[in-house]
């Protein structure tokens, strides 16, 4: 809580969700978010320029690390993405280095778009 998306963006997303027949779910429960998901994604919790918020953010995001336990509720063919650089509190090694992780392919694709 306290890191919800901008309401304007949420409204646009709701509109697209109805238009394209997809499901929009805003939740603070990681297992609910992962339920039947094909892709598990996390981002860096502390971006450049937010270093002074590190303690607050680590405390606020505690319990949101992606683990194999999180993945148990995902679809059977789930994959994992992360934009890098990754910190262990965001995703554990078991998921990050698993065959389901596509982070290095994602990084390769990003490289060519830059």
């Amino acid at each position: 809580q306290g890191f919800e998306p901008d309401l304007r963006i949420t409204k646009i997303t709701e509109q697209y969700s109805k238009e394209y027949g997809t499901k929009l779910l805003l939740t603070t429960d990681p297992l609910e978010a992962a339920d039947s998901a094909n892709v598990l994604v996390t981002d860096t919790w502390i971006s450049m320029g937010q270093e002074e918020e590190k303690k607050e953010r680590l405390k606020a995001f505690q319990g949101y690390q992606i683990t194999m336990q999180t993945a148990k509720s995902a679809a059977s063919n789930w994959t994992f993405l992360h934009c890098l650089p990754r910190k262990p509190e965001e995703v554990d090694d078991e998921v990050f280095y698993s065959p389901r992780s596509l982070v290095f392919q994602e990084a390769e694709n990003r490289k060519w778009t830059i």
Side-chain angles (χ1 to χ4, degrees):
Q1 293 180 341
F3 297 91
E4 293 82 5
D6 183 301
L7 192 56
R8 294 170 296 179
I9 302 300
T10 302
K11 288 194 181 297
I12 292 168
T13 307
E14 287 171 343
Q15 186 177 1
Y16 284 152
S17 180
K18 287 176 187 169
E19 185 177 338
Y20 295 105
T22 61
K23 177 183 168 187
L24 173 65
L25 171 69
L26 297 177
T27 182
T28 58
D29 181 342
L31 294 178
E32 183 181 22
D35 186 42
S36 300
N38 296 104
V39 182
L40 301 178
V41 182
T42 189
D43 195 358
T44 185
W45 292 358
I46 301 136
S47 296
M48 288 175 24
Q50 296 175 324
E51 293 83 5
E52 69 283 348
E53 301 172 26
K54 183 175 181 173
K55 270 188 177 177
E56 173 193 338
R57 285 174 167 271
L58 289 176
K59 185 178 179 183
F61 296 141
Q62 190 173 18
Y64 289 95
Q65 179 193 47
I66 295 182
T67 64
M68 287 297 188
Q69 183 65 34
T70 313
K72 282 185 179 180
S73 64
S76 61
N77 63 341
W78 65 272
T79 56
F80 173 73
L81 297 174
H82 191 293
C83 67
L84 302 178
R86 158 267 187 175
K87 302 285 189 276
E89 60 267 9
E90 300 158 355
V91 57
D92 71 2
D93 285 349
E94 189 176 12
V95 171
F96 188 78
Y97 293 108
S98 79
R100 300 203 177 247
S101 176
L102 300 177
V103 295
F104 298 111
Q105 294 93 325
E106 178 184 11
E108 173 78 7
N109 290 339
R110 289 179 68 202
K111 179 178 108 173
W112 295 110
T113 63
I114 296 171

